[in-house]
Amino acid sequence: MTRAPYACDPQRSRGRRVSEPTAPTRSEFQRDRDRIIHSTAFRRLVYKTQVFLNHEGDLFRTRLTHSLEVAQLGRSIGRSLGLDEDLIEAVALAHDLGHTPFGHAGQDVLDECMKAHGGFEHNLQSLRVVDKLEQRYPAFDGLNLSFETREGILKHCARRNAQRLEQLEPGGVGARFLLGQQPNLEAQLCNLADEVAYNAHDIDDGVRSGLLELEQLESVPLVQNYLREALAAYPALKGKRLLAETIRRMLSEQVYDIIDATRAAIHASGVASVDEVRRAEVLVVFSPAMRSASTELKRFLFAHLYRHPQVQATRQRAEQVLRDLFRIYAQDESQLPQEYREASSAEGLHRACADYIAGMTDRFAIREHQKLTGLTLF
Ligand code: MG
């Protein structure tokens, strides 16, 4: 597949914050992907919660396997659209690097603890990880990734944060939030592939954990269609094979839907360059019917899985762990490791505490909490 004119071209990248000689054998986006895979933050994703805690079962998704599934879906769709697969993979593998332990519970607690100190946003934290917190290179902090990869990592950004970024880096990755523009198509695709991935794997994990029943899902139109199709093709199918076949059919249809709807949107917009993509509407889309079906599925998962009493109970304990840790470090900075104590003089103690806690894996946070408070919550 040849590169489409609206795809990002690594040879025409806006470049890195610190300029570096080009690599002899790899494109700039391949290099970004490789740097992400070798980072410490990437390895930590294996012990970070998506919905279920890592220790609740060996076969549930973690942030790492989630990120791999987003990369797979993104590359698969991107290849059909003539987009840059290396860039898609880089953005997908990095999109959750800033996630706290314990999933969204952690994000909310840190944001609350940081209320008077600039707040906490996991998207902005992902950018902070690749721009600053990774310490591997002699010449710069972070991974010094290409503009296009960083643009994709910063999916959302509150206006005040975008203004702050714009001051530090005029015309940089914060600018589009102030101008109301879009990121490149590879980034837009990762955003939608993220939704496709978690909807599907949360159904899978939800049923396998016993918190959801396959029968309950019959009330969700999107799932119901594929469940019926699977049973029509294989009337005796049941249990985990029925679940897998239903999800497989749902994933395929969503992939085809995105390819068709996006092709049509690109064609209708007439975009012929990345800059025109940035000035256009969002172009990587579901068809209207699939958009409403996916939103309905999200609503179902919210009500029946993310709000399930068992998930909520875990969430409350996770919140306490992180709230206690933040209070302890903020009161007594000698409890922080040396590098975070040093960082606190430049960035403020509270930001150093947030960076340290956000980087923890679930089990490290649990152990650290136990050590500092004597309480066993998990
Ligand atoms: Mg994600």
Side-chain angles (χ1 to χ4, degrees):
M1 179 90 197
T2 51
R3 183 186 314 281
Y6 38 76
C8 284
D9 180 347
Q11 289 187 309
R12 302 178 65 192
S13 166
R14 286 208 205 166
R16 302 173 189 279
R17 295 203 296 168
V18 179
S19 68
E20 295 183 60
T22 54
T25 57
R26 293 175 296 165
S27 84
E28 297 304 323
F29 302 146
Q30 268 182 289
R31 212 174 178 193
D32 285 353
R33 188 261 330 271
D34 298 350
R35 287 182 180 188
I36 291 159
I37 287 180
H38 288 279
S39 69
T40 309
F42 184 70
R43 286 196 298 282
R44 287 182 178 142
L45 294 178
V46 72
Y47 295 115
K48 288 196 176 198
T49 290
Q50 186 68 26
V51 173
F52 295 92
L53 298 192
N54 186 266
H55 66 245
E56 287 180 313
D58 286 346
L59 300 178
F60 296 125
R61 268 65 171 192
T62 67
R63 290 264 164 221
L64 181 69
T65 59
H66 162 70
S67 302
L68 294 172
E69 290 183 29
V70 176
Q72 180 275 317
L73 288 165
R75 287 188 60 162
S76 178
I77 297 165
R79 187 175 297 191
S80 293
L81 296 171
L83 302 181
D84 190 284
E85 284 184 58
D86 297 317
L87 177 57
I88 292 168
E89 197 176 9
V91 173
L93 296 182
H95 86 282
D96 275 350
L97 289 180
H99 259 290
T100 60
F102 309 120
H104 283 276
Q107 135 88 37
D108 296 346
V109 168
L110 278 190
D111 190 37
E112 170 199 304
C113 294
M114 291 297 288
K115 211 167 192 160
H117 312 280
F120 181 91
E121 257 183 23
H122 67 83
N123 273 292
L124 199 60
Q125 191 70 9
S126 297
L127 186 70
R128 197 168 155 76
V129 167
V130 300
D131 279 356
K132 187 160 184 63
L133 298 177
E134 280 289 319
Q135 299 179 348
R136 313 178 62 78
Y137 295 90
F140 44 77
D141 283 341
L143 305 176
N144 197 33
L145 302 179
S146 309
F147 176 86
E148 292 75 10
T149 305
R150 296 175 59 240
E151 176 186 34
I153 292 172
L154 192 63
K155 266 201 295 200
H156 311 287
C157 188
R159 196 173 172 82
R160 69 185 150 84
N161 290 327
Q163 283 162 341
R164 214 175 294 154
L165 282 173
E166 185 63 14
Q167 276 176 356
L168 297 169
E169 186 190 353
V173 289
R176 77 176 172 91
F177 298 97
L178 303 173
L179 298 169
Q181 294 188 347
Q182 315 307 330
N184 59 61
L185 290 175
E186 287 80 356
Q188 292 184 30
L189 174 52
C190 286
N191 201 3
L192 195 50
D194 189 21
E195 178 178 338
V196 173
Y198 64 65
N199 272 343
H201 66 51
D202 289 351
I203 292 176
D204 191 33
D205 285 352
V207 172
R208 288 184 310 110
S209 67
L211 298 190
L212 295 179
E213 300 283 340
L214 204 48
E215 292 72 49
Q216 258 180 299
L217 287 156
E218 281 170 23
S219 67
V220 185
L222 187 61
V223 184
Q224 183 193 62
N225 288 345
Y226 304 113
L227 196 59
R228 284 185 186 159
E229 264 185 38
L231 283 171
Y234 302 96
L237 206 57
K238 56 183 186 328
K240 65 182 180 186
R241 284 204 206 210
L242 177 58
L243 178 63
E245 180 60 16
T246 303
I247 291 173
R248 192 186 68 75
R249 285 168 185 256
M250 187 177 96
L251 281 174
S252 298
E253 281 310 311
Q254 289 184 301
V255 165
Y256 304 144
D257 184 90
I258 294 171
I259 292 170
D260 292 343
T262 301
R263 271 203 189 117
I266 289 173
H267 182 75
S269 73
V271 292
S273 72
V274 184
D275 281 330
E276 286 175 18
V277 164
R278 291 189 175 110
R279 289 192 297 268
E281 299 292 294
V282 173
L283 296 173
V284 179
V285 288
F286 279 134
S287 65
M290 190 63 89
R291 165 43 60 212
S292 68
S294 179
T295 303
E296 202 165 328
L297 172 55
K298 272 210 273 201
R299 230 178 274 139
F300 171 88
L301 286 169
F302 205 82
H304 299 278
L305 183 62
Y306 312 144
R307 285 277 169 85
H308 190 286
Q310 201 173 311
V311 174
Q312 287 294 99
T314 307
R315 184 184 166 104
Q316 279 167 10
R317 286 180 289 157
E319 286 173 352
Q320 191 188 336
V321 166
L322 298 188
R323 212 173 275 132
D324 288 349
L325 287 178
F326 193 93
R327 182 176 34 80
I328 291 167
Y329 299 135
Q331 277 169 2
D332 177 7
E333 77 170 83
S334 73
Q335 301 289 349
L336 286 172
Q338 174 82 15
E339 59 174 295
Y340 290 93
R341 281 206 303 275
E342 283 166 13
S344 75
S345 54
E347 306 256 358
L349 174 62
H350 295 92
R351 183 58 61 192
C353 295
D355 285 340
Y356 181 45
I357 294 171
M360 291 179 181
T361 61
D362 297 352
R363 60 182 189 174
F364 182 87
I366 291 169
R367 277 203 304 259
E368 186 74 358
H369 181 263
Q370 206 163 23
K371 197 177 85 192
L372 294 170
T373 64
L375 297 172
T376 303
L377 295 186
F378 286 94

